[in-house]
DNA sequence: CGACCATTTGATATGGATCAAGCGATGTGG
DNA sequence: CCACATCGCTTGATCCATATCAAATGGTCG
C-alpha cells in the first residue's frame, strides 16, 4: 500500500524555509529548556518511516516542522492511525520498552530526536523534568480518550469532530489545510475513504463547510458542526 | 438507567471475607511500598459511584477487592466504558486536573483512596515514586491503545479479544466468571447487548467456548479465539 | 499530452442496530 | 411456599448506516 523508503540518518538541507514558519510554536512547549537542547535535528521525507512498531523505544521526538502520523496495522492490513502530530508536538511516548505504534512523516518533516535515556537521567535529577514527562504522557492519554469516544459516534459526528479538532490545532482560524489524505483521515476515524468523501460533500451541501480544494476546508458554520458532536 | 446511590464515606464491615481472596495480588504491584500505605480503605456498593467525570481529581485509587468500571457518556446517552479494573489495579490516573471519566463499582468493592497531592509530594523527593507514577500512566496509555485497536475490529473479534483479555487478567485459567453485565461488555466493545449475546452463542456453537451460566465462560479453544484477532 | 494517483460519485451488499417477543433466574409480598 | 413482578439475557425479524465494488472525474508531474 504505502511506499516505505529507507531511513535517512543525516539531516538534509531542503525545505528548511518552509519549516521556519512553525518556529514560533517552540516557545509554547513545556519541555522547552534542557530537554530539547539535547535533540539532534533530523529530516524525514514524505511517507518515510520515523520508527517502527516494536522497535526499541530509545528515542523520543519533537516535531519542528511538517506532519507525522502514528499507526498500527492488524495482520490483515487494517490500519488504525493513533494520532496526527503537528509542529510543537512531542511523540514517541506511547510505549513501554518498545514502540507500540509506528510513526511516519505525512509531509516532509523536521524532527528533534532525543535520547530517552538522557531524558530519564535528567528526570532523576530534575523534578520538573520528571513532571513534564508525566504531563506529556498524561496528555497523550487524554488525546487517546477523546479518540476512543470518537469511535462510537456516527460518521458525520466523527468527521465534524475531526475538522473542529484540526482547525483548533492548526491555530483556530476557519480555513484549514489538511496535510493528510482521505485514506489517513479514514484510518484515523475508523471509516472508509468513500464515507469520508461523501460525508464531506454532505457537510458542504448543508453549508457547514466549504471545499475550495479537496485538501482545503473552510468551516462555515462551527455551531452546526459542534451540534453533531453529542 | 443506572441507579446511583450516594457515596458512603466510611468503610463498612460486610463481605470482607469475600474480598480476602484477592489479597495475594497486592504483592505484585509496582507501587507497593510507600504509596499504598497512605491509602484509606473505603467500600462501595454495587453500582455506586466512586467519582464523577469532571470532579476534581484529588485522589487516585487502588482496587483491593471487587470490580470497577470507568466510563463516559455522550449527551444523548451513549456510554463508552474506558476500562474494567480488577483487584490490584490502580485507577483514577486518567486525567489532568479533573477526571475525564467516571468510575463506578460493578460489584461491591474495596478501594484504597490515596490523596494525589501526597503522591506528587512524595514523587518530588523520591525518584522511584515518580518513575512508578509515570510507568502506571504509560501502562494506562498502553491499555487504551489496545482498546482503540479493538474498536476497528468485527464483533466476533472484539468479543474473542475481550474474553481472552479477561481470562488473562482473571489469572489465566480457562474458566472465567465475568463480574459485568452484557450491557457493560457492549459499552466496552462498542456493540449492543444483542450482538454480544448472539456472538457468544455463535462462539459456543463453534465450540470455541462454553457457557455454563450467562456470567461464567469456559474457553474451550483458545487458538480459535486467537485466530479471530487479526 | 498522457499516465498516474487521489478524490468523488453511483449502485449494491451486509454486519450490526433496532424493534419486539420470549425465557429463565431472582426476589418479594401475600 | 407459591404467584407474580422484575431483571438480565437470548432469540427472531427487519432496517439502516456504512462497507464494498465499480466507474468517472480531476489534479499533478514527467
Amino acid at each position: 500500500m504505502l511506499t516505505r523508503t529507507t531511513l535517512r540518518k543525516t539531516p538534509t538541507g531542503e525545505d528548511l524555509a518552509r519549516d521556519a514558519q512553525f518556529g514560533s510554536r517552540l516557545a509554547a512547549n513545556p519541555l522547552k529548556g534542557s530537554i530539547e537542547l539535547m535533540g539532534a535535528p533530523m529530516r524525514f521525507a514524505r511517507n518515510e518511516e520515523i520508527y517502527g512498531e516494536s522497535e526499541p523505544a530509545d528515542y523520543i521526538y519533537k516535531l519542528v516542522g511538517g506532519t507525522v502520523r502514528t499507526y498500527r496495522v492488524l495482520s490483515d492490513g487494517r490500519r488504525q492511525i493513533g494520532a496526527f502530530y503537528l509542529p510543537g508536538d512531542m511523540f514517541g511516548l506511547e510505549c513501554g520498552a518498545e514502540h507500540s505504534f509506528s510513526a511516519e512523516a505525512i509531509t516532509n518533516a523536521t524532527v528533534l530526536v532525543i535520547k530517552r535515556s538522557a531524558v530519564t537521567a535528567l528526570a532523576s535529577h530534575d523534578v520538573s523534568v520528571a513532571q513534564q514527562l508525566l504531563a506529556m504522557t498524561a496528555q497523550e492519554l487524554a488525546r487517546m480518550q477523546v479518540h476512543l469516544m470518537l469511535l462510537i459516534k456516527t460518521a458525520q459526528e466523527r468527521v465534524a469532530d475531526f475538522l473542529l479538532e484540526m482547525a483548533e490545532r492548526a491555530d483556530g482560524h476557519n480555513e484549514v489545510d489538511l496535510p493528510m489524505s482521505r485514506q489517513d483521515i479514514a484510518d484515523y476515524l475508523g471509516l472508509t475513504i468513500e464515507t469520508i468523501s461523501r460525508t464531506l460533500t454532505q457537510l458542504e451541501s448543508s453549508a457547514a463547510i466549504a471545499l475550495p480544494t479537496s485538501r482545503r476546508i473552510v468551516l462555515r458554520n462551527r455551531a452546526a458542526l459542534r451540534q453533531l458532536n453529542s
Side-chain angles (χ1 to χ4, degrees), chain A:
Chain A
M1 301 196 127
L2 280 171
T3 315
R4 297 283 168 72
T5 60
T6 57
L7 216 153
R8 264 186 294 161
K9 294 299 180 192
T10 44
T12 66
E14 347 142 22
D15 30 18
L16 281 172
R18 206 173 50 75
D19 295 330
Q21 57 177 309
F22 301 116
S24 60
R25 279 183 162 262
L26 274 168
N29 192 274
L31 281 191
K32 59 174 185 307
S34 32
I35 286 193
E36 59 187 45
L37 290 178
M38 302 159 41
M42 211 162 152
R43 310 206 77 263
F44 295 89
R46 191 164 176 279
N47 290 327
E48 193 176 353
E49 180 173 88
I50 298 172
Y51 56 79
E53 176 182 351
S54 79
E55 279 180 17
D58 295 335
Y59 299 92
I60 62 179
Y61 303 84
K62 177 171 178 135
L63 186 56
V64 178
T67 312
V68 166
R69 63 177 165 248
T70 55
Y71 67 93
R72 203 163 162 179
V73 281
L74 299 178
S75 55
D76 68 347
R78 278 170 293 178
R79 182 181 70 158
Q80 175 65 43
I81 288 186
F84 296 116
Y85 295 96
L86 301 181
D89 294 335
M90 307 258 342
F91 63 98
L93 295 155
E94 20 74 49
C95 57
E98 298 193 335
H99 286 294
S100 50
F101 278 50
S102 301
E104 285 175 353
I106 289 182
T107 62
N108 292 344
T110 308
V111 171
L112 291 183
V113 183
I114 303 159
K115 212 168 186 94
R116 179 179 295 273
S117 60
V119 175
T120 53
L122 196 63
S124 68
H125 295 301
D126 185 343
V127 177
S128 78
V129 172
Q131 281 170 349
Q132 287 164 3
L133 209 53
L134 181 60
M136 288 181 344
T137 307
Q139 196 202 330
E140 198 63 23
L141 184 57
R143 219 203 276 281
M144 209 90 202
Q145 289 169 347
V146 172
H147 197 172
L148 197 70
M149 294 308 290
L150 253 195
L151 296 188
I152 67 167
K153 300 186 181 180
T154 66
Q156 279 223 350
E157 291 168 340
R158 295 188 212 195
V159 171
D161 266 14
F162 171 74
L163 294 178
L164 288 167
E165 185 205 337
M166 288 310 290
E168 204 66 36
R169 292 174 64 191
D171 235 336
H173 246 142
N174 276 337
E175 211 156 342
V176 194
D177 215 334
L178 298 176
M180 72 287 288
S181 69
R182 295 288 186 268
Q183 188 62 62
D184 284 337
I185 300 173
D187 290 349
Y188 179 72
L189 298 180
L191 299 168
T192 59
I193 43 173
E194 293 95 332
T195 299
I196 302 294
S197 187
R198 280 187 244 272
T199 305
L200 285 172
T201 47
Q202 277 173 235
L203 290 175
E204 191 177 30
S205 316
S206 66
I209 64 170
L211 289 157
T213 79
S214 70
R215 296 292 183 104
R216 173 163 292 270
I217 307 231
V218 182
L219 308 189
R220 289 221 167 286
N221 188 347
R222 275 179 133 94
L225 291 174
R226 249 182 246 104
Q227 231 167 332
L228 293 177
N229 315 358
S230 318

